[in-house]
Amino acid sequence: MGADRVFAYGAAAGLLGDLLLGDPRRGHPVAAFGRAAGAVERVLWRDHRGWGALHTAVCVGGAVSSAALAASAARPSRTASVALTATATWAVVGGTSLVREARLIGRALAAGDVEGARARLPHLCGRDPQALDADGIARAVVESVAENTSDAVVGALVWGAVGGVPGFVGFRAVNTLDAMVGHKSPRYRRYGWASARLDDLVGWPGARLTALLAVATGPDRRGAVRAWRADAGGHPSPNAGPVEASFAGALGVRLGGTLSYAGRVEHRPLLNTRGRAVRVDDIERAVRLSRRVTALALGVTVAGRLLARRFLAKGRTS
């Protein structure tokens, strides 16, 4: 069995495992990586970009090296290789947890339980829930579903297709580090700079593929393209911009505007200015779009691996 089939079978099995099982309540590998990264930070932290870059190199390099050793050990056995790929896929994607949290908040809002929705929002994103009314919570959920479809699913599949198990693990390590130290607080403005820039780099292809698939599978394709082209560049994140704008256009809603993170207020440009305000039922519409994007992303990444191998094989024989 070639590496292409190992990726195809393993990634499909891992996504199925995520669909059926979701994230484990205890002992999640990503949580273990986070604890290890926190321990490294306690040793290395200085208010300096160079020390932050060393932290990034140690954590990401260690995770990728460990994954490469595991993949090498499993390579003689096709079954072991598929099982390891499936386990890595299941460990790094988070589509089911994303959908579950979004739907729980949507149900609370539909029942008029705004306080319950506020209590659950931190499970999904870092917004200050006390600063949001029901419509603001619904908008935050739709934006989080869009962004995390790229960060938690499609980006991982892209790098898994490129690098196998080390690609899966490396992408999640970078993404996790960015969530830990990549924000612009006084402690991490310099120390987290390298993690944030690396996350922008590795997230670039997955974000563009997510946006393309939202255009392809969304209910309003023209609206998705129009919003992406017109509004994505105004978003402060080079990767969240295309994803959120394409989702906004595809769903016919307006995203962006004023946001609050732990008392820090940001005034972001609107995405899809022609759209209407987000309603509670748009949460389920965003979830369904995310599911369609995920399914198509698996097919695209598998096909991409096959086409790349054939192209390289033709190049060697020509």
Side-chain angles (χ1 to χ4, degrees):
M1 184 185 297
D4 299 330
R5 290 187 178 181
V6 168
F7 170 74
Y9 296 158
L15 286 177
L16 181 60
D18 177 62
L19 180 64
L20 296 176
L21 303 174
D23 291 332
R25 298 295 182 184
R26 297 180 180 177
H28 197 295
V30 174
F33 171 81
R35 290 192 294 271
V40 173
E41 179 189 341
R42 287 191 290 274
V43 174
L44 294 181
W45 187 89
R46 307 286 190 283
D47 190 16
H48 191 278
R49 285 184 176 182
W51 285 94
L54 178 60
H55 176 223
T56 302
V58 168
C59 294
V60 175
V64 171
S65 297
S66 298
L69 288 173
S72 178
R75 191 168 294 123
S77 169
R78 297 173 181 176
T79 301
S81 294
V82 172
L84 180 62
T85 302
T87 301
T89 306
W90 167 77
V92 304
V93 302
T96 294
S97 294
L98 172 66
V99 166
R100 180 177 61 244
E101 293 299 334
R103 282 176 168 164
L104 285 171
I105 296 170
R107 291 191 194 107
L109 290 175
D113 183 10
V114 177
E115 286 304 318
R118 286 193 180 112
R120 290 223 64 90
L121 188 62
H123 294 267
L124 188 63
C125 65
R127 309 280 175 86
D128 180 2
Q130 300 306 316
L132 299 173
D133 58 10
D135 291 341
I137 293 171
R139 191 192 81 195
V141 172
V142 171
E143 290 173 351
S144 296
V145 168
E147 183 176 2
N148 284 297
T149 299
S150 175
D151 286 346
V153 183
V154 179
L157 289 173
V158 168
W159 283 101
V162 171
V165 170
F168 276 121
V169 172
F171 175 81
R172 179 54 60 219
V174 171
N175 195 251
T176 302
L177 272 186
D178 178 61
M180 294 176 67
V181 304
H183 37 89
K184 295 181 180 179
S185 66
R187 177 178 175 85
Y188 294 122
R189 186 177 298 274
R190 294 184 181 87
Y191 188 81
W193 178 86
S195 292
R197 298 292 76 77
L198 183 59
D199 184 68
D200 288 343
L201 179 64
V202 302
W204 196 96
R208 273 70 192 171
L209 178 58
T210 303
L212 284 170
L213 297 181
V215 170
T217 62
D220 185 352
R221 296 180 181 180
R222 290 184 178 179
V225 172
R226 182 176 61 246
W228 182 1
R229 294 179 61 183
D231 302 325
H235 197 286
S237 168
N239 295 328
V243 174
E244 292 184 19
S246 61
F247 264 67
L251 297 172
V253 300
R254 186 172 61 252
L255 300 178
T258 301
L259 310 176
S260 177
Y261 293 90
R264 178 170 54 88
V265 177
E266 293 184 12
H267 300 284
R268 295 182 179 177
L270 295 177
L271 305 175
N272 191 34
T273 55
R274 300 185 185 183
R276 57 171 173 77
V278 176
R279 300 190 301 250
V280 173
D281 63 303
D282 292 318
I283 293 176
E284 183 60 31
R285 295 176 66 228
V287 164
R288 291 198 298 266
L289 178 56
S290 176
R291 287 297 200 193
R292 292 195 297 270
V293 167
T294 296
L296 194 54
L298 176 62
V300 168
T301 51
V302 169
R305 271 196 69 113
L306 291 171
L307 290 173
R309 180 173 60 82
R310 291 180 181 178
F311 178 80
L312 292 173
K314 284 184 179 181
R316 286 193 294 266
T317 58
S318 61

